[in-house]
Amino acid sequence: MAGAALPKAELTTSGRPILFPNEIECSLLSNVELEPEGSPPLSSSIHLRSSFMILTTHRLIFVSDSSSAAASASAAATANAASYVPLASVAHIFSLKKSIKSMFASPRLKFQLSVGSDGRVGGPAARSLVVTLVMRGKDDVEAFVDKFRQNWGARAWEREKESESASSGSSSIVESNASSSGYDSRGMRVVGVAGILRREQEMWESTDKSLQDAFQDLNALMSKAKEMVMLAEKMRSKLLSAPSQAGSSNDEELGSKEEMQEWLLSVGIVSPVTKESAGALYHQQLSRQLADFVKIPLERSGGMINLIDMYCLFNRARGTELISPEDLLRACSLWEKFDVPVMLRKFDSGVMVIQNKSHSDEEVFARIKSLITRPDALQMGVSAGDAAMTLGIAPAMAKEHLLTAESRGLLCRDVSPDGFRFYINLFPEIPTDDIYLVKDQGIYATWIKCASSTSRLE
């Protein structure tokens, strides 16, 4: 099978690669072919065709054209849809040859790979193999080669291992000293719950100092951005995984914890898709990344979110790599071509929203009907604000749902200086053969009782 000697890369449901911790996407090429030089068995196991390739700080990720369409078919298919070449296995990068003949042919870049005795890439090196990248797409090849050399020479994976070993060594020394002496860094005894709280306080003070140092100026912020993202991810995972203990926190502490979770859940995208990195596939890859990003905001907003709100959230997560409203709209429109669980919807009023494909209007209408058939609502009706509190969404979105329910014949509206108020539509309850018949059951009978009780009180 093609690419059998290469490690498999995991993809999201939209067909985007799942990056390693601290891995950053740098460039993307379309229509790339990987041709190895060597014995036929090994060549056939590494040969890849019709792929687009993503260059990151750690890998060359090859995604086949068919994998993006079938990425959401199943978890197994998603896991086996792409392959990658670790930059750690690259032994040498040859120069990109330029000649008159190469002007009329696809650019080719050769580099040397270290492979194991079993012919697989990524394990212990036993032999070397020269492979060729054939770049058939209309991309900036020279810019890609420069980034390829820079990432390979930077060797980010080695620096991470050194930092992890250094941090683990320092933490083990601190823990051993604290456990052996029984005192923390300030000379206070570490005993019981008070000692644990004191140690947590030290960690928060150290974190606060790091944040203050990072925000002194822009250069310090940029130099510590990676550290801040890692810290925020650790804090978020700790908060989300920590079990709630009864009686351990009051309402104010719970509120502050929820605010902290809200802030940590808005941690930005580490590797946003840009025109520089994606090239001609910019809107396609932006559409897939947006489909992955929109999942959490949709869950928190009840399965539907305004396009304007998503524009603000997505741009905030992208940091300085802002996109235009036209780019967002085009990215959402491309969802029709991909098998993703979200879609773009336009209401009759012109309001555009993003919603899950599993979102059901009937469920929303059932909740609206239960709200509007209450005795007080039968008398006074409901506003968009009332429906927003019940549905847990913004008033503008609640108004769209009410107008849609009205178009289905479920509601009637009353327009007054105070705004729109919606009432249950009683006309289906009135029999057409005897309109003067007063029914003693159903919504119409309930409305008669409410109206009679109101007239008696007056």
Side-chain angles (χ1 to χ4, degrees):
M1 184 180 67
L6 300 178
K8 299 300 180 182
E10 295 183 359
L11 300 178
T12 63
T13 55
S14 66
R16 288 278 301 166
I18 299 177
L19 301 180
F20 294 155
N22 308 321
E23 185 180 14
I24 298 175
E25 181 179 332
C26 300
S27 183
L28 187 144
L29 293 181
S30 60
N31 199 6
V32 178
E33 186 174 348
L34 185 65
E35 295 180 351
E37 299 177 2
S39 57
L42 184 59
S43 301
S44 61
S45 63
I46 294 183
H47 200 166
L48 292 172
R49 294 179 181 272
S50 300
S51 302
F52 71 85
M53 182 186 64
I54 298 177
L55 169 67
T56 70
T57 54
H58 295 63
R59 298 178 289 174
L60 288 173
I61 306 175
F62 297 87
V63 183
S64 62
D65 294 339
S66 59
S67 64
S68 59
S72 59
S74 63
T78 302
N80 298 324
S83 305
Y84 70 91
V85 174
L87 295 187
S89 300
V90 178
H92 180 71
I93 302 176
F94 297 93
S95 300
L96 185 65
K97 293 184 179 181
K98 296 182 180 180
S99 62
I100 297 178
K101 183 180 179 181
S102 63
M103 295 174 60
F104 302 97
S106 301
R108 293 171 175 264
L109 177 65
K110 293 186 177 182
F111 58 93
Q112 188 175 359
L113 273 180
S114 299
V115 297
S117 57
D118 56 351
R120 299 189 63 84
V121 178
R127 51 184 292 191
S128 61
L129 175 68
V130 177
V131 295
T132 303
L133 277 179
V134 184
M135 295 161 277
R136 306 185 188 278
K138 299 179 180 180
D139 303 291
D140 191 350
V141 176
E142 294 184 357
F144 164 76
V145 174
D146 292 340
K147 291 181 181 178
F148 185 21
R149 291 184 180 276
Q150 291 175 5
N151 291 351
W152 178 63
R155 311 190 76 80
W157 56 92
E158 292 183 356
R159 293 201 310 254
E160 289 178 5
K161 291 182 179 179
E162 293 175 358
S163 61
E164 288 177 1
S165 60
S167 60
S168 61
S170 60
S171 61
S172 62
I173 292 174
V174 172
E175 289 178 0
S176 62
N177 292 338
S179 60
S180 60
S181 62
Y183 294 86
D184 60 9
S185 60
R186 295 179 294 180
M188 300 181 69
R189 188 170 181 82
V190 181
V191 177
V193 177
I196 296 174
L197 294 176
R198 201 173 298 123
R199 190 179 300 169
E200 291 288 332
Q201 181 67 24
E202 282 188 359
M203 293 175 59
W204 281 107
E205 289 176 358
S206 176
T207 301
D208 183 63
K209 186 176 183 302
S210 298
L211 290 172
Q212 291 178 359
D213 294 339
F215 282 92
Q216 284 181 357
D217 52 59
L218 184 59
N219 293 330
L221 176 61
M222 295 303 294
S223 64
K224 292 196 175 185
K226 181 178 178 181
E227 180 183 349
M228 292 298 104
V229 171
M230 293 175 60
L231 177 62
E233 288 288 346
K234 290 180 180 179
M235 294 168 62
R236 179 177 68 176
S237 61
K238 183 176 180 180
L239 279 177
L240 294 178
S241 61
S244 58
Q245 299 179 355
S248 60
S249 301
N250 52 27
D251 295 340
E252 183 177 355
E253 291 175 347
L254 289 175
S256 62
K257 183 176 179 180
E258 291 179 357
E259 292 177 0
M260 180 64 69
Q261 288 181 354
E262 291 286 335
W263 178 77
L264 292 175
L265 287 174
S266 65
V267 173
I269 302 173
V270 179
S271 183
V273 174
T274 62
K275 291 183 178 179
E276 180 182 2
S277 64
L281 298 177
Y282 169 64
H283 287 99
Q284 181 189 113
Q285 295 301 312
L286 181 67
S287 177
R288 295 182 184 278
Q289 190 173 65
L290 178 61
D292 294 330
F293 173 82
V294 78
K295 292 180 181 178
I296 295 179
L298 280 178
E299 291 176 359
R300 296 163 57 188
S301 59
M304 180 181 295
I305 188 170
N306 195 302
L307 192 62
I308 299 176
D309 296 338
M310 179 49 59
Y311 175 74
C312 297
L313 292 174
F314 193 52
N315 263 338
R316 185 179 69 175
R318 290 175 62 88
T320 57
E321 302 293 343
L322 304 180
I323 63 172
S324 64
E326 291 78 10
D327 288 339
L328 181 73
L329 183 59
R330 185 172 177 182
C332 295
S333 302
L334 289 175
W335 285 338
E336 298 178 356
K337 301 180 180 180
F338 307 140
D339 189 7
V340 293
V342 292
M343 60 177 291
L344 180 66
R345 176 180 178 182
K346 186 175 182 179
F347 285 99
D348 295 337
S349 62
V351 175
M352 304 183 73
V353 298
I354 297 174
Q355 71 173 40
N356 289 321
K357 288 184 177 179
S358 59
H359 180 81
S360 174
D361 285 344
E362 283 69 21
E363 295 180 3
V364 178
F365 294 158
R367 297 176 64 184
I368 292 176
K369 187 175 181 180
S370 63
L371 168 67
I372 211 163
T373 51
R374 295 175 182 174
D376 54 342
L378 289 174
Q379 298 177 19
M380 305 298 297
V382 296
S383 63
D386 300 331
M389 295 179 63
T390 300
L391 300 177
I393 58 178
M397 295 300 304
K399 183 179 178 181
E400 295 298 329
H401 283 303
L402 292 172
L403 291 174
T404 305
E406 181 197 20
S407 65
R408 300 283 183 90
L410 302 176
L411 304 178
C412 297
R413 81 170 111 154
D414 177 48
V415 183
S416 66
D418 297 332
F420 285 65
R421 295 199 71 86
F422 291 84
Y423 297 83
I424 189 69
N425 185 9
L426 295 176
F427 289 100
E429 297 283 330
I430 301 176
T432 55
D433 53 348
D434 189 359
I435 61 175
Y436 298 104
L437 175 64
V438 179
K439 301 172 67 175
D440 57 353
Q441 59 183 356
I443 300 176
Y444 183 75
T446 307
W447 178 77
I448 290 293
K449 294 179 181 177
C450 294
S452 301
S453 60
T454 303
S455 61
R456 285 195 298 269
L457 291 175
E458 293 177 354

